[in-house]
Amino acid sequence: MVYLTRIEHFNAAHKLYNPAWDKEKNEAVFGKCANENWHGHNYDLYVTVKGEPDPSTGFLCDVKILSRLIKNVIIEQIDHKNLNLDVPFMDGKMCSTENLAIGIWQQLEPHLPSGIALHCIKLYETPRIFVEYFGN
Amino acid sequence: MDRKKVSVFRREHFNAAHRLHNDEWDEATNFKVFGKCNNPNFHGHNYELIVKVTGEPDPKTGFVIDLKMLSDTIKEFVLEKFDHRNLNKDVPEFAALNPTVENISITIYDILRKKIDSNLDLQIRVYETPRNFAEYPAL
């Protein structure tokens, strides 16, 4: 079994705000991340897949195909967007890094070529904050 | 005594939303010029700010500038204003100025220039992404 990781990046605006709570409670829980006019990040996305290398190519999968897939299925939807307003798969969800990683997994997994499995979505919100999701 | 000029640097960071838009242009022109940076609902960045101060070390302290004081000044006058904000909507300096990385670096320079001893040179570098950055003044 080999693990292969492709790194992509995107920039987006978001806010952490629970519409079921009043402004005061949102600010108490989310602090400056609740700013009603949004803030934003440069996100780094690490997509790790796993499987056995193909004996005829030595590849687990063609990284170019994986890169194109991530760009088409994920980056096109979220890059230079407002995660709360512009991204259908985050509709009705809190736009935390945790939920975004889960959302990215759910979007990407059905598109992976046969023979390789998704292992991990690692998502950096800042160089110092990141989450990992392993699909369970 | 031989006096030598030295540059010292303080690195800070802030996260903000923005969009690039010229009110005098129609939607199509804005999109043509600014592309996805024109997204009406904004997007955002982790900005890295590097403040460079140049001067002769004070013979009594050995400091060009007390870096703790510089850090406190940047926090009070820049980060408080920019961090976790929408640059277009929350920062008055950008009410009529496009918040490009160029204009952000000029704006931060103008804010800090008033707070730092005029005998010291100041230069601002702002990273919008790890690959895009601006420097002001250009030397």
Side-chain angles (χ1 to χ4, degrees), chain A residues 85-115:
Chain A
L85 300 179
D86 299 329
V87 180
F89 75 80
M90 293 305 289
D91 234 11
K93 293 180 195 160
M94 293 295 299
C95 282
S96 63
T97 317
E98 294 88 328
N99 281 343
L100 186 55
I102 295 170
I104 289 171
W105 177 292
Q106 290 167 344
Q107 292 296 303
L108 193 59
E109 198 191 22
H111 295 277
L112 285 180
S114 62

Side-chain angles (χ1 to χ4, degrees), chain B residues 27-121:
Chain B
E27 218 171 285
T29 310
N30 268 291
F31 186 75
K32 195 174 157 203
V33 174
F34 297 121
K36 54 192 181 176
C37 297
N38 183 241
N39 181 32
N41 289 330
F42 308 97
H43 63 283
H45 299 286
N46 303 331
Y47 291 91
E48 289 277 333
L49 165 63
I50 296 173
V51 176
K52 174 184 176 182
V53 178
T54 303
E56 292 169 358
D58 182 321
K60 294 188 286 293
T61 60
F63 291 162
V64 170
I65 187 172
D66 182 330
L67 283 172
K68 175 74 175 91
M69 272 175 51
L70 179 62
S71 163
D72 290 345
T73 304
I74 299 168
K75 285 201 176 85
E76 184 178 349
F77 297 103
V78 179
L79 303 190
E80 280 290 323
K81 208 172 182 146
F82 287 57
D83 186 36
H84 283 74
R85 307 284 183 187
N86 182 311
L87 299 178
N88 303 71
K89 296 178 92 162
D90 298 330
V91 181
E93 281 84 346
F94 297 115
L97 181 68
N98 218 10
T100 59
V101 69
E102 294 89 331
N103 283 334
I104 294 168
S105 64
I106 295 170
T107 300
I108 292 174
Y109 176 89
D110 289 343
I111 292 170
L112 290 179
R113 186 62 278 182
K114 294 176 211 142
K115 308 292 177 189
I116 290 169
D117 188 329
S118 59
N119 290 326
L120 300 171
D121 293 329

Side-chain angles (χ1 to χ4, degrees), chain A residues 9-14 32-33 35 37-44 79-82 85-86 124-128, chain B residues 13-18 36-37 39 41-48 83-86 89-90 127-131:
Chain A
H9 56 88
F10 59 94
N11 311 315
H14 81 153
K32 52 192 182 177
C33 297
N35 178 25
N37 287 333
W38 326 102
H39 63 285
H41 300 286
N42 303 330
Y43 291 88
D44 281 319
D79 186 35
H80 283 72
K81 298 286 168 69
N82 183 310
L85 300 179
D86 299 329
Y124 281 80
E125 182 177 81
T126 73
R128 288 157 288 272
Chain B
H13 56 91
F14 58 94
N15 309 318
H18 80 155
K36 54 192 181 176
C37 297
N39 181 32
N41 289 330
F42 308 97
H43 63 283
H45 299 286
N46 303 331
Y47 291 91
E48 289 277 333
D83 186 36
H84 283 74
R85 307 284 183 187
N86 182 311
K89 296 178 92 162
D90 298 330
Y127 285 83
E128 185 172 79
T129 72
R131 288 157 289 273

Side-chain angles (χ1 to χ4, degrees), chain A residues 7-73:
Chain A
I7 305 172
E8 298 287 348
H9 56 88
F10 59 94
N11 311 315
H14 81 153
K15 70 177 168 185
L16 299 181
Y17 200 93
N18 186 331
W21 298 341
D22 62 20
K23 196 176 172 195
E24 209 169 49
K25 182 159 184 190
N26 271 290
E27 282 172 1
V29 174
F30 298 119
K32 52 192 182 177
C33 297
N35 178 25
E36 59 184 348
N37 287 333
W38 326 102
H39 63 285
H41 300 286
N42 303 330
Y43 291 88
D44 281 319
L45 170 62
Y46 290 61
V47 175
T48 304
V49 295
K50 61 185 173 186
E52 300 295 338
D54 182 326
S56 52
T57 60
F59 290 162
L60 179 56
C61 72
D62 184 331
V63 174
K64 188 127 202 158
I65 292 172
L66 181 62
S67 164
R68 205 174 298 137
L69 191 64
I70 300 168
K71 283 200 179 99
N72 292 342
V73 176

